[in-house]
Amino acid sequence: MIEDSCTSQKLWDLAFMAEPEEVAALRRFTGLHLEAWGLGQLIDEAQLCVSELVANVITHVGPGTPARLVISVSGTHVRIEVHDPDTRALPILLDATSDAENGRGMALVGAITARWGVQLLADRKVTWCELEAGLPTAHGNQGGAQASKQHAPWSCYPCKKA
């Protein structure tokens, strides 16, 4: 069981092998869970994030790597995490040229999410991103209006308890 310091309203946790043929199923399962949670408006963005984070594991850690996909709703955000055992292969933002065949993945994730980052643990790396869910806050506001875009690729975004 993966423990999180935040209290999640909903949590989905799936172990998988990082193989190209798994990406479509992970995208499909992500869509089904978000739809069931009433967050269908986030399906396209969430599926893109899942594709990019899993592709990074396949490309930079290696096919066949045991990994986990964790999706949770906490506060006003949907958090997508991909866990893998290699703490050395860190995602980075590249300045991909217009004719480059790769190198745009994390730039895409950064462009569509509220924030993203990497948490290094003793036995694994967690690459994560958060999408604004537009859920009401404790004060009745829609979340995200005051959220600032953060790029914190080498740290864990600290959760705040209400």
Side-chain angles (χ1 to χ4, degrees):
M1 177 76 180
I2 296 170
E3 294 181 24
D4 188 84
S5 61
C6 300
T7 304
S8 295
Q9 297 170 356
K10 302 190 184 324
L11 175 75
W12 179 58
D13 183 339
L14 178 69
F16 67 94
M17 296 301 279
E19 296 286 355
E21 56 272 10
E22 292 293 319
V23 176
L26 293 170
R27 288 173 53 90
R28 189 171 41 257
F29 292 145
T30 297
L32 290 171
H33 277 82
L34 290 176
E35 188 68 43
W37 293 344
L39 296 167
Q41 75 277 12
L42 296 177
I43 290 174
D44 291 339
E45 291 88 353
Q47 288 178 330
L48 176 61
C49 291
V50 167
S51 294
E52 294 301 333
L53 297 180
V54 172
N56 274 349
V57 175
I58 295 167
T59 302
H60 301 292
V61 181
T65 300
R68 296 190 82 76
L69 173 63
V70 179
I71 300 177
S72 59
V73 178
S74 183
T76 59
H77 289 86
V78 171
R79 184 174 174 107
I80 299 167
E81 301 177 354
V82 173
H83 298 232
D84 74 73
D86 190 340
T87 59
R88 297 167 295 145
L90 300 175
I92 58 172
L93 284 175
L94 298 175
D95 263 342
T97 62
S98 60
D99 60 344
E101 292 184 20
N102 54 29
R104 292 185 184 88
M106 292 313 296
L108 283 171
V109 169
I112 65 171
T113 62
R115 58 193 149 258
W116 70 274
V118 178
Q119 182 179 9
L120 297 176
L121 304 171
D123 63 340
R124 69 187 182 275
K125 168 180 76 238
V126 180
T127 307
W128 57 268
C129 62
E130 291 182 346
L131 296 165
E132 293 178 9
L135 299 171
T137 65
H139 305 291
N141 306 8
Q142 292 289 19
Q146 316 243 333
S148 63
K149 187 104 169 162
Q150 294 182 1
H151 164 68
W154 313 128
S155 62
C156 175
Y157 175 74
C159 300
K160 295 179 182 171
K161 295 189 179 191

